[in-house]
Amino acid sequence: NTSDWAASHAEKKCLQFKHPLLVSAVCTFDDPYYLYYVMEFSSGGSLFDFVVSLQSLEEDLVRIIGLEVLLSIRYLNDTK
């Protein structure tokens, strides 16, 4: 459907940006049923898995993670 295509196209566009705090798509391809993304390898895993693996977060670490997330969002917003 058209809204699925538009959402997929927007996601693909975001994944093509180059930024040190963002994982990028290397390429995309599709078949009649699915759209596939080939992503850069992230040896450290996802931010979500990292946060969940910790028992608790120190305030300084929360500040660093929050700043990196905000900088990433700002970059995506500024690079339309």
Side-chain angles (χ1 to χ4, degrees):
N1 99 21
T2 305
S3 65
D4 290 340
W5 182 88
S8 297
H9 183 71
E11 184 175 359
K12 179 180 176 182
K13 184 178 176 184
C14 285
L15 291 172
Q16 291 175 337
F17 292 127
K18 299 293 182 196
H19 189 274
L21 298 175
L22 300 172
V23 176
S24 299
V26 176
C27 68
T28 60
F29 59 95
D30 60 10
D31 64 23
Y33 304 102
Y34 298 102
L35 174 62
Y36 300 93
Y37 295 96
V38 178
M39 306 295 293
E40 292 178 326
F41 176 70
S42 177
S43 63
S46 72
L47 175 60
F48 176 79
D49 291 337
F50 171 72
V51 170
V52 169
S53 72
L54 300 175
Q55 294 291 332
S56 64
L57 296 172
E58 296 290 326
E59 189 174 330
D60 289 342
L61 181 57
V62 172
R63 282 191 185 113
I64 292 168
I65 291 171
L67 179 59
E68 289 179 347
V69 169
L70 288 174
L71 287 172
S72 299
I73 293 170
R74 181 172 141 192
Y75 172 79
L76 291 172
N77 187 54
D78 291 347
T79 313
K80 295 181 180 179

Coordinates of all heavy atoms in Angstrom, one line a residue:
N1 N 0.8 -1.2 0.0 CA 0.0 0.0 0.0 C 0.9 1.2 0.0 O 2.1 1.2 0.3 CB -1.0 -0.1 1.1 CG -0.8 0.6 2.4 OD1 -0.1 1.5 2.5 ND2 -1.5 0.1 3.4
T2 N 0.3 2.4 -0.3 CA 1.0 3.6 -0.5 C 1.7 4.1 0.8 O 2.8 4.6 0.8 CB 0.1 4.7 -1.1 OG1 -0.5 4.2 -2.3 CG2 0.9 5.9 -1.4
S3 N 1.0 4.0 1.9 CA 1.6 4.5 3.1 C 2.8 3.6 3.6 O 3.7 4.1 4.1 CB 0.5 4.6 4.2 OG 0.1 3.3 4.6
D4 N 2.7 2.3 3.3 CA 3.8 1.4 3.7 C 5.0 1.8 2.8 O 6.2 1.8 3.3 CB 3.5 0.0 3.4 CG 2.5 -0.6 4.4 OD1 2.3 0.0 5.5 OD2 1.8 -1.6 4.2
W5 N 4.8 2.1 1.5 CA 5.9 2.4 0.6 C 6.5 3.7 1.1 O 7.7 3.8 1.1 CB 5.4 2.6 -0.8 CG 6.5 2.9 -1.8 CD1 7.2 2.0 -2.4 CD2 6.9 4.2 -2.1 NE1 8.2 2.7 -3.2 CE2 8.0 4.0 -3.0 CE3 6.5 5.5 -1.8 CZ2 8.7 5.1 -3.6 CZ3 7.2 6.5 -2.4 CH2 8.3 6.3 -3.2
A6 N 5.7 4.7 1.4 CA 6.2 6.0 1.9 C 7.0 5.9 3.1 O 8.1 6.5 3.3 CB 5.1 7.0 2.1
A7 N 6.5 5.1 4.1 CA 7.3 4.9 5.3 C 8.6 4.1 5.1 O 9.7 4.5 5.6 CB 6.4 4.1 6.3
S8 N 8.6 3.1 4.2 CA 9.8 2.4 3.8 C 10.8 3.3 3.1 O 12.0 3.3 3.4 CB 9.5 1.2 3.0 OG 8.7 0.3 3.6
H9 N 10.3 4.2 2.3 CA 11.2 5.1 1.5 C 11.8 6.1 2.5 O 13.0 6.4 2.4 CB 10.4 5.8 0.5 CG 11.2 6.8 -0.4 ND1 12.1 6.3 -1.3 CD2 11.3 8.1 -0.4 CE1 12.7 7.3 -1.9 NE2 12.2 8.4 -1.4
A10 N 11.0 6.6 3.5 CA 11.6 7.6 4.5 C 12.6 6.9 5.3 O 13.7 7.5 5.6 CB 10.5 8.1 5.3
E11 N 12.4 5.6 5.7 CA 13.4 4.9 6.5 C 14.6 4.7 5.8 O 15.7 4.8 6.3 CB 12.8 3.6 7.0 CG 13.7 2.8 7.9 CD 13.0 1.5 8.5 OE1 11.9 1.3 8.1 OE2 13.7 0.8 9.2
K12 N 14.5 4.3 4.5 CA 15.7 4.0 3.7 C 16.5 5.3 3.5 O 17.7 5.3 3.6 CB 15.2 3.6 2.3 CG 16.3 3.3 1.3 CD 15.8 2.8 0.0 CE 16.9 2.7 -1.0 NZ 16.4 2.3 -2.3
K13 N 15.8 6.4 3.4 CA 16.5 7.7 3.3 C 17.3 8.0 4.5 O 18.5 8.5 4.5 CB 15.5 8.8 3.0 CG 16.2 10.2 2.7 CD 15.1 11.2 2.4 CE 15.8 12.6 2.3 NZ 14.8 13.6 2.0
C14 N 16.7 7.8 5.7 CA 17.4 8.0 7.0 C 18.6 7.1 7.1 O 19.6 7.5 7.7 CB 16.5 7.8 8.1 SG 15.3 9.2 8.4
L15 N 18.5 5.9 6.7 CA 19.6 4.9 6.8 C 20.7 5.2 5.9 O 21.8 4.5 6.0 CB 19.0 3.5 6.7 CG 18.1 3.1 7.8 CD1 17.5 1.7 7.4 CD2 18.8 3.0 9.1
Q16 N 20.6 6.1 5.0 CA 21.7 6.4 4.0 C 22.6 7.5 4.5 O 23.6 7.8 3.9 CB 21.1 6.7 2.6 CG 20.5 5.5 2.0 CD 19.8 5.9 0.7 OE1 19.5 7.0 0.4 NE2 19.7 4.9 -0.2
F17 N 22.2 8.2 5.6 CA 23.1 9.2 6.1 C 24.4 8.6 6.7 O 24.4 7.5 7.2 CB 22.4 10.0 7.2 CG 21.2 10.8 6.8 CD1 20.0 10.7 7.3 CD2 21.4 11.7 5.7 CE1 18.9 11.4 6.9 CE2 20.3 12.5 5.3 CZ 19.1 12.4 5.9
K18 N 25.4 9.4 6.7 CA 26.7 9.0 7.2 C 27.0 9.9 8.5 O 27.1 11.1 8.4 CB 27.8 9.2 6.2 CG 27.7 8.3 5.0 CD 27.8 6.9 5.3 CE 27.7 6.0 4.1 NZ 27.5 4.7 4.3
H19 N 27.0 9.3 9.6 CA 27.3 10.0 10.9 C 27.9 9.0 11.8 O 27.5 7.8 11.9 CB 25.9 10.5 11.4 CG 26.1 11.5 12.6 ND1 26.2 11.0 13.9 CD2 26.2 12.8 12.6 CE1 26.4 12.0 14.7 NE2 26.4 13.2 14.0
P20 N 28.9 9.4 12.6 CA 29.6 8.5 13.5 C 28.7 7.9 14.6 O 29.0 6.8 15.1 CB 30.7 9.3 14.1 CG 30.4 10.8 13.9 CD 29.5 10.8 12.7
L21 N 27.6 8.5 14.9 CA 26.7 7.9 16.0 C 25.5 7.1 15.4 O 24.7 6.6 16.2 CB 26.1 9.1 16.8 CG 27.2 9.9 17.6 CD1 26.5 11.1 18.3 CD2 27.9 9.0 18.6
L22 N 25.4 7.0 14.1 CA 24.3 6.3 13.4 C 24.8 5.1 12.6 O 25.9 5.2 12.0 CB 23.5 7.2 12.5 CG 22.9 8.4 13.2 CD1 22.3 9.4 12.1 CD2 21.9 8.0 14.2
V23 N 24.1 4.0 12.6 CA 24.4 2.9 11.8 C 23.7 3.1 10.4 O 22.5 3.5 10.4 CB 23.9 1.6 12.4 CG1 24.1 0.4 11.5 CG2 24.5 1.3 13.7
S24 N 24.4 2.9 9.4 CA 23.9 3.2 8.0 C 23.6 1.9 7.3 O 24.1 0.9 7.6 CB 24.9 4.0 7.2 OG 25.2 5.2 7.8
A25 N 22.7 2.1 6.3 CA 22.4 1.0 5.4 C 23.5 0.9 4.3 O 23.8 1.9 3.7 CB 21.1 1.1 4.8
V26 N 24.0 -0.3 4.1 CA 25.0 -0.4 3.0 C 24.3 -0.5 1.7 O 24.7 0.1 0.7 CB 25.9 -1.7 3.2 CG1 26.8 -1.9 2.1 CG2 26.6 -1.6 4.6
C27 N 23.2 -1.2 1.6 CA 22.4 -1.3 0.4 C 21.0 -1.9 0.8 O 20.8 -2.3 1.9 CB 23.0 -2.2 -0.7 SG 23.1 -3.9 -0.2
T28 N 20.1 -1.8 -0.1 CA 18.8 -2.3 0.0 C 18.4 -3.1 -1.2 O 18.9 -2.9 -2.3 CB 17.7 -1.2 0.3 OG1 17.7 -0.4 -0.9 CG2 18.0 -0.4 1.5
F29 N 17.5 -4.1 -1.0 CA 17.0 -4.8 -2.1 C 15.6 -5.4 -1.7 O 15.3 -5.4 -0.5 CB 17.9 -5.9 -2.6 CG 18.3 -7.0 -1.6 CD1 17.6 -8.2 -1.5 CD2 19.4 -6.8 -0.7 CE1 17.9 -9.1 -0.6 CE2 19.7 -7.7 0.2 CZ 19.0 -8.9 0.3
D30 N 14.9 -5.8 -2.7 CA 13.5 -6.3 -2.4 C 13.2 -7.5 -3.2 O 13.9 -7.9 -4.2 CB 12.5 -5.2 -2.5 CG 12.4 -4.7 -3.9 OD1 13.0 -5.2 -4.8 OD2 11.7 -3.7 -4.1
D31 N 12.1 -8.2 -2.8 CA 11.5 -9.2 -3.6 C 10.0 -8.9 -3.6 O 9.6 -7.8 -3.1 CB 11.8 -10.6 -3.0 CG 11.2 -10.8 -1.6 OD1 10.2 -10.2 -1.2 OD2 11.7 -11.7 -0.9
P32 N 9.2 -9.7 -4.2 CA 7.7 -9.3 -4.2 C 7.1 -9.1 -2.9 O 6.0 -8.5 -2.8 CB 7.1 -10.5 -5.0 CG 8.2 -11.1 -5.8 CD 9.4 -10.9 -4.9
Y33 N 7.6 -9.6 -1.8 CA 7.0 -9.5 -0.5 C 7.7 -8.6 0.5 O 7.0 -8.1 1.4 CB 6.8 -10.9 0.1 CG 6.1 -11.8 -0.9 CD1 6.8 -12.8 -1.6 CD2 4.7 -11.8 -1.0 CE1 6.1 -13.6 -2.5 CE2 4.0 -12.6 -1.9 CZ 4.8 -13.5 -2.6 OH 4.1 -14.3 -3.5
Y34 N 9.0 -8.5 0.4 CA 9.8 -7.8 1.5 C 10.8 -6.9 1.0 O 11.2 -7.0 -0.2 CB 10.5 -8.9 2.4 CG 9.6 -9.8 3.1 CD1 9.4 -11.1 2.6 CD2 8.9 -9.5 4.2 CE1 8.6 -12.0 3.2 CE2 8.1 -10.3 4.9 CZ 7.9 -11.6 4.4 OH 7.1 -12.5 5.0
L35 N 11.1 -5.9 1.8 CA 12.2 -5.0 1.5 C 13.3 -5.3 2.5 O 13.1 -5.4 3.7 CB 11.8 -3.5 1.7 CG 12.8 -2.4 1.6 CD1 13.4 -2.4 0.2 CD2 12.2 -1.1 2.0
Y36 N 14.5 -5.5 2.0 CA 15.7 -5.9 2.9 C 16.7 -4.8 3.0 O 17.0 -4.1 2.0 CB 16.4 -7.1 2.2 CG 15.5 -8.3 2.1 CD1 14.8 -8.6 0.9 CD2 15.3 -9.2 3.2 CE1 13.9 -9.7 0.8 CE2 14.5 -10.3 3.0 CZ 13.8 -10.5 1.9 OH 13.0 -11.6 1.7
Y37 N 17.3 -4.6 4.2 CA 18.3 -3.6 4.4 C 19.6 -4.4 4.8 O 19.5 -5.2 5.7 CB 18.0 -2.7 5.6 CG 16.8 -1.8 5.3 CD1 15.5 -2.2 5.7 CD2 16.9 -0.6 4.7 CE1 14.4 -1.3 5.5 CE2 15.8 0.2 4.4 CZ 14.6 -0.2 4.9 OH 13.5 0.7 4.6
V38 N 20.7 -4.1 4.2 CA 22.0 -4.6 4.6 C 22.6 -3.5 5.3 O 22.9 -2.4 4.8 CB 22.8 -5.0 3.4 CG1 24.2 -5.5 3.8 CG2 22.1 -6.1 2.5
M39 N 22.9 -3.7 6.6 CA 23.3 -2.7 7.5 C 24.8 -2.8 7.8 O 25.4 -3.9 7.7 CB 22.6 -2.8 8.9 CG 21.1 -2.7 8.7 SD 20.4 -1.2 8.1 CE 20.8 -0.1 9.4
E40 N 25.4 -1.7 8.2 CA 26.8 -1.8 8.7 C 26.9 -2.7 10.0 O 25.9 -2.8 10.7 CB 27.3 -0.4 9.2 CG 27.5 0.6 8.1 CD 27.9 2.0 8.6 OE1 27.4 2.4 9.7 OE2 28.6 2.6 7.9
F41 N 28.0 -3.3 10.2 CA 28.2 -4.1 11.4 C 28.4 -3.3 12.6 O 29.3 -2.4 12.5 CB 29.3 -5.1 11.2 CG 29.6 -6.0 12.4 CD1 28.7 -6.9 12.8 CD2 30.7 -5.8 13.1 CE1 28.9 -7.7 13.9 CE2 31.0 -6.5 14.3 CZ 30.1 -7.5 14.6
S42 N 27.7 -3.5 13.7 CA 27.9 -2.8 14.9 C 28.4 -3.7 16.0 O 27.6 -4.5 16.5 CB 26.6 -2.1 15.3 OG 26.8 -1.4 16.6
S43 N 29.7 -3.8 16.2 CA 30.3 -4.8 17.1 C 29.8 -4.7 18.5 O 29.8 -5.6 19.2 CB 31.8 -4.7 17.0 OG 32.3 -3.4 17.5
G44 N 29.4 -3.5 18.9 CA 29.0 -3.3 20.3 C 27.5 -3.7 20.5 O 27.1 -3.7 21.7
G45 N 26.8 -4.0 19.5 CA 25.4 -4.3 19.6 C 24.5 -3.0 19.7 O 25.0 -1.9 19.4
S46 N 23.3 -3.2 20.0 CA 22.4 -2.0 20.0 C 22.4 -1.3 21.4 O 22.8 -1.9 22.4 CB 20.9 -2.5 19.8 OG 20.4 -3.2 20.9
L47 N 22.1 0.0 21.3 CA 22.0 0.8 22.5 C 21.0 0.2 23.5 O 21.3 0.1 24.7 CB 21.6 2.2 22.2 CG 21.4 3.2 23.3 CD1 22.7 3.3 24.2 CD2 21.0 4.5 22.9
F48 N 19.9 -0.3 23.0 CA 18.9 -0.9 23.9 C 19.4 -2.1 24.6 O 19.3 -2.2 25.8 CB 17.6 -1.3 23.0 CG 16.6 -2.0 23.8 CD1 15.7 -1.3 24.6 CD2 16.5 -3.4 23.8 CE1 14.7 -1.9 25.4 CE2 15.6 -4.1 24.6 CZ 14.7 -3.3 25.4
D49 N 20.1 -3.0 23.9 CA 20.7 -4.2 24.6 C 21.7 -3.8 25.6 O 21.8 -4.4 26.7 CB 21.3 -5.1 23.6 CG 20.3 -5.8 22.7 OD1 19.1 -5.9 23.2 OD2 20.6 -6.2 21.6
F50 N 22.5 -2.7 25.3 CA 23.5 -2.3 26.3 C 22.9 -1.7 27.6 O 23.3 -2.1 28.7 CB 24.4 -1.2 25.6 CG 25.3 -0.5 26.6 CD1 26.4 -1.1 27.1 CD2 25.0 0.8 27.0 CE1 27.2 -0.4 28.0 CE2 25.8 1.5 27.9 CZ 27.0 0.8 28.4
V51 N 21.8 -0.9 27.4 CA 21.2 -0.3 28.6 C 20.5 -1.4 29.4 O 20.6 -1.4 30.6 CB 20.2 0.8 28.1 CG1 19.3 1.2 29.3 CG2 20.9 1.9 27.6
V52 N 19.8 -2.4 28.7 CA 19.1 -3.5 29.5 C 20.1 -4.3 30.2 O 19.8 -4.8 31.3 CB 18.3 -4.3 28.5 CG1 17.8 -5.6 29.1 CG2 17.1 -3.5 28.0
S53 N 21.3 -4.5 29.7 CA 22.3 -5.4 30.3 C 22.9 -4.8 31.6 O 23.4 -5.6 32.4 CB 23.5 -5.7 29.3 OG 24.3 -4.5 29.2
L54 N 22.7 -3.6 31.8 CA 23.3 -2.9 33.0 C 22.2 -3.1 34.2 O 21.0 -3.0 34.0 CB 23.6 -1.5 32.8 CG 24.6 -1.2 31.7 CD1 24.7 0.3 31.5 CD2 26.0 -1.8 32.1
Q55 N 22.7 -3.2 35.4 CA 21.8 -3.3 36.5 C 21.2 -1.9 36.8 O 20.1 -1.8 37.2 CB 22.6 -3.8 37.8 CG 23.1 -5.2 37.6 CD 21.9 -6.2 37.7 OE1 20.9 -5.9 38.3 NE2 22.1 -7.3 37.1
S56 N 22.1 -0.9 36.7 CA 21.7 0.5 36.9 C 22.6 1.4 36.1 O 23.6 1.0 35.7 CB 21.7 0.9 38.4 OG 23.0 0.8 38.8
L57 N 22.1 2.6 35.9 CA 22.9 3.6 35.1 C 23.4 4.7 36.0 O 22.5 5.3 36.7 CB 22.1 4.1 33.9 CG 21.6 3.1 32.9 CD1 20.6 3.8 31.9 CD2 22.8 2.6 32.1
E58 N 24.6 5.0 35.9 CA 25.1 6.2 36.6 C 24.7 7.4 35.9 O 24.5 7.4 34.7 CB 26.7 6.2 36.6 CG 27.3 5.0 37.4 CD 27.1 5.1 38.9 OE1 27.1 6.3 39.4 OE2 26.9 4.1 39.5
E59 N 24.5 8.5 36.6 CA 24.0 9.7 36.1 C 24.8 10.3 34.9 O 24.3 10.7 33.9 CB 23.8 10.8 37.2 CG 23.1 12.0 36.7 CD 22.9 13.0 37.9 OE1 22.7 12.6 39.0 OE2 22.8 14.2 37.6
D60 N 26.2 10.2 35.1 CA 27.1 10.6 34.0 C 26.9 9.9 32.7 O 26.9 10.4 31.6 CB 28.5 10.6 34.5 CG 28.9 11.6 35.5 OD1 28.1 12.6 35.7 OD2 29.9 11.4 36.2
L61 N 26.7 8.5 32.8 CA 26.4 7.7 31.6 C 25.1 8.1 31.0 O 25.0 8.1 29.7 CB 26.5 6.2 32.0 CG 26.3 5.2 30.9 CD1 27.3 5.4 29.8 CD2 26.3 3.8 31.4
V62 N 24.1 8.3 31.8 CA 22.8 8.8 31.2 C 23.0 10.1 30.5 O 22.4 10.2 29.4 CB 21.7 8.9 32.3 CG1 20.5 9.5 31.8 CG2 21.5 7.5 33.0
R63 N 23.7 11.0 31.0 CA 24.0 12.3 30.3 C 24.7 12.0 28.9 O 24.3 12.6 27.9 CB 24.9 13.2 31.2 CG 24.1 13.8 32.3 CD 25.0 14.9 32.9 NE 24.4 15.5 34.0 CZ 24.8 15.4 35.3 NH1 25.9 14.7 35.6 NH2 24.1 15.9 36.3
I64 N 25.7 11.2 28.9 CA 26.4 10.9 27.7 C 25.5 10.2 26.6 O 25.4 10.7 25.5 CB 27.6 10.0 28.0 CG1 28.7 10.8 28.8 CG2 28.2 9.5 26.6 CD1 29.8 9.9 29.3
I65 N 24.8 9.2 27.1 CA 23.9 8.5 26.1 C 22.8 9.5 25.6 O 22.5 9.6 24.4 CB 23.2 7.3 26.8 CG1 24.3 6.2 27.1 CG2 22.1 6.8 26.0 CD1 23.8 5.1 27.9
G66 N 22.2 10.3 26.5 CA 21.2 11.3 26.1 C 21.7 12.3 25.2 O 21.0 12.6 24.2
L67 N 22.9 12.8 25.4 CA 23.5 13.7 24.5 C 23.8 13.1 23.1 O 23.5 13.7 22.1 CB 24.8 14.3 25.1 CG 25.6 15.3 24.2 CD1 24.7 16.5 23.9 CD2 26.9 15.6 24.9
E68 N 24.2 11.9 23.1 CA 24.5 11.2 21.8 C 23.2 11.0 21.0 O 23.1 11.2 19.8 CB 25.2 9.9 22.0 CG 26.7 10.1 22.4 CD 27.4 8.8 22.7 OE1 26.8 7.8 22.7 OE2 28.7 8.9 22.8
V69 N 22.1 10.6 21.7 CA 20.8 10.4 21.1 C 20.3 11.8 20.5 O 19.9 11.9 19.4 CB 19.8 9.8 22.1 CG1 18.4 9.9 21.5 CG2 20.2 8.4 22.4
L70 N 20.4 12.8 21.3 CA 20.0 14.1 20.9 C 20.8 14.7 19.7 O 20.2 15.2 18.8 CB 20.0 15.1 22.0 CG 19.0 15.0 23.1 CD1 19.2 15.9 24.3 CD2 17.6 15.2 22.6
L71 N 22.1 14.5 19.7 CA 22.9 14.9 18.6 C 22.6 14.1 17.3 O 22.5 14.7 16.2 CB 24.4 14.7 18.9 CG 25.0 15.6 19.9 CD1 26.4 15.2 20.3 CD2 25.0 17.0 19.4
S72 N 22.2 12.8 17.5 CA 21.8 12.0 16.3 C 20.5 12.5 15.7 O 20.4 12.7 14.5 CB 21.7 10.6 16.7 OG 22.9 10.1 17.2
I73 N 19.6 12.8 16.6 CA 18.3 13.3 16.2 C 18.4 14.7 15.5 O 17.8 15.0 14.5 CB 17.3 13.3 17.3 CG1 16.9 11.9 17.8 CG2 16.0 14.1 17.0 CD1 16.1 11.8 19.1
R74 N 19.2 15.5 16.1 CA 19.5 16.8 15.5 C 20.1 16.7 14.2 O 19.7 17.5 13.2 CB 20.4 17.7 16.5 CG 20.7 19.0 16.0 CD 21.4 19.8 17.0 NE 22.4 20.7 16.4 CZ 23.3 21.3 17.1 NH1 23.4 21.2 18.4 NH2 24.2 22.0 16.4
Y75 N 21.1 15.9 14.0 CA 21.7 15.7 12.7 C 20.6 15.2 11.7 O 20.6 15.8 10.5 CB 22.8 14.6 12.8 CG 23.3 14.2 11.5 CD1 24.3 15.0 10.8 CD2 22.9 13.0 10.8 CE1 24.8 14.7 9.5 CE2 23.4 12.7 9.6 CZ 24.3 13.5 9.0 OH 24.8 13.1 7.7
L76 N 19.8 14.3 12.0 CA 18.7 13.8 11.1 C 17.8 14.9 10.8 O 17.3 15.0 9.6 CB 18.0 12.6 11.7 CG 18.8 11.3 11.8 CD1 18.1 10.2 12.6 CD2 19.3 10.8 10.4
N77 N 17.4 15.7 11.8 CA 16.5 16.8 11.5 C 17.1 17.9 10.6 O 16.4 18.4 9.8 CB 16.0 17.4 12.9 CG 14.9 18.4 12.7 OD1 13.9 18.1 12.1 ND2 15.1 19.6 13.3
D78 N 18.3 18.2 10.8 CA 19.0 19.2 10.1 C 19.3 18.8 8.6 O 19.5 19.6 7.8 CB 20.3 19.7 10.8 CG 20.0 20.4 12.0 OD1 18.8 20.8 12.3 OD2 21.0 20.6 12.8
T79 N 19.4 17.5 8.4 CA 19.8 16.9 7.1 C 18.6 16.3 6.5 O 18.5 15.1 6.4 CB 20.9 15.8 7.3 OG1 21.9 16.3 8.2 CG2 21.5 15.5 6.0
K80 N 17.7 17.2 6.0 CA 16.4 16.7 5.5 C 16.6 16.1 4.1 O 17.1 16.4 3.2 CB 15.4 17.8 5.5 CG 15.0 18.2 6.9 CD 14.0 19.2 6.9 CE 13.7 19.6 8.4 NZ 12.7 20.6 8.5

